[in-house]
Amino acid sequence: MSYGIIRTNQTLLFFACCFTFIASGLLGVLPAASLVVLAQNTHTDTSTAGLIFTVSSLGTIVAVVASNALVKRLGSKAVVMGGLAGLIASSIMIPLAQQFNVWLAAEMLQGISIGLINIGVIMILTLNFGDRLGEKLNMLYGSVGMGSLLAPIFLSYVLSFTGSALAAFIVTALVGLLCLSTFYVLRFQTRAVRRNVSEEVYVAQPSLMPDRTGPAFKQPLLWLIALQVCLYVGAEAGFSNWVITAISKEANISIRMTTPAATLFWIGITVGRMVVARLMKRGHLTNAQLLYISMLGGAACGVLLIACMQAPIICFVASFGVGLFLGPIFPTLQVIATRRFDRVPALVSSVIMVSSGFAGMTIPLSMGMLIPQIGAREVMMIPALLCLLVAFPYYLANRKEQKIVAYRQQQTEQPIYELPTIQLPIVEGVA
């Protein structure tokens, strides 16, 4: 295979996107899994250290707001490479920070980097794998889970041998450097191709929504999608960020012994997404059936973990169950959103990322502030409730979409004899 073919190989491009998301998953989990160690390095209380989740999510929102202009001006490739450069820098800064302000600055850079990576990679997949977007998104988000489940394993071994979290973050930086080098070599479509006006007249428009940002913003479906994503990310971020600390406090065991809970959670996330992708490809599950089962199952496993928090083994099994059921929710919601707003994919990605950042900015911080007030067991009820509440805006969005489809069918299928007629006097006179 020649060098030119390698540079344009779509399989290599997809693997580069997956490894980029693996690095993003590693850096997304490591600060939460090593929260106690990093707080000790900066001489910060655990409740105050929860502020890093807010700062990181704020950085993600900042990146999303700027990403649309950056993608239009520089292209999605440059955006992803910039995000990878920030990921490498923050991976080194976070474990070496000795002051809380430096730690917060590194977390802000981490949030900006992850936001740029998410927007850029989703745009790359949309532009280069449009006909297989659903399959690719499920596998891509499975890669995030793979990186997230590897993070606690790395951390556990590193803490056992060195007593410091630095080596685990260095692994993340090395993966990010590999991905940065790969994207530099590859050549692919980085900007959307503009259509001529004559082409737009004759091309079929299957989308239910407008093709401009302003009218799309006025659609209730867009905000219902944002609410669904916000509730889901609140459940996932709240559970994954605090499950280790909650089990450690309630079962009165060390952080090192509770890290399998996070590992099993991300194993469940990855397994759930991969298995569901196969089931949906064979037509065994619809989107609605999958989402309702996932919401109910995730909430039930969350309640099981709360009820058996004194038994770590049962907590580990319940944590795996939460990940197994929660895993397919986010990629399925994004596929549905992309299908509904297929003419404004950048807007959909931005709204989803802002909603995700808002949930990640508020829910974990709120849980950390509530732990000293009501206890870790009671606080872990919040993710279970949020998982269950996703069903409400999803049901409303389906009802709204059905009404739009029914209205358009009624307009297009109106019989000719029901159309208004115009009486012409000249015709009557001739008759």
Side-chain angles (χ1 to χ4, degrees), residues 296-349:
L296 293 173
C301 291
V303 172
L304 176 63
L305 182 140
I306 296 167
C308 303
M309 199 163 281
Q310 298 293 338
I313 300 300
I314 299 179
C315 288
F316 295 160
V317 175
S319 183
F320 173 80
V322 172
L324 185 68
F325 285 106
L326 284 187
I329 294 179
F330 188 81
T332 305
L333 289 178
Q334 181 145 15
V335 169
I336 293 173
T338 305
R339 174 176 58 82
R340 288 171 175 166
F341 294 88
D342 59 350
R343 290 189 268 180
V344 282
L347 174 65
V348 173
S349 298

Side-chain angles (χ1 to χ4, degrees), residues 115-145:
L116 292 176
I117 287 172
N118 285 338
I119 293 293
V121 169
I122 294 300
M123 288 302 300
I124 288 173
L125 290 185
T126 303
L127 295 173
N128 295 274
F129 300 94
D131 54 339
R132 295 171 289 166
L133 185 60
E135 173 191 350
K136 298 299 182 183
L137 277 181
N138 274 285
M139 296 181 66
L140 183 73
Y141 284 111
S143 301
V144 177

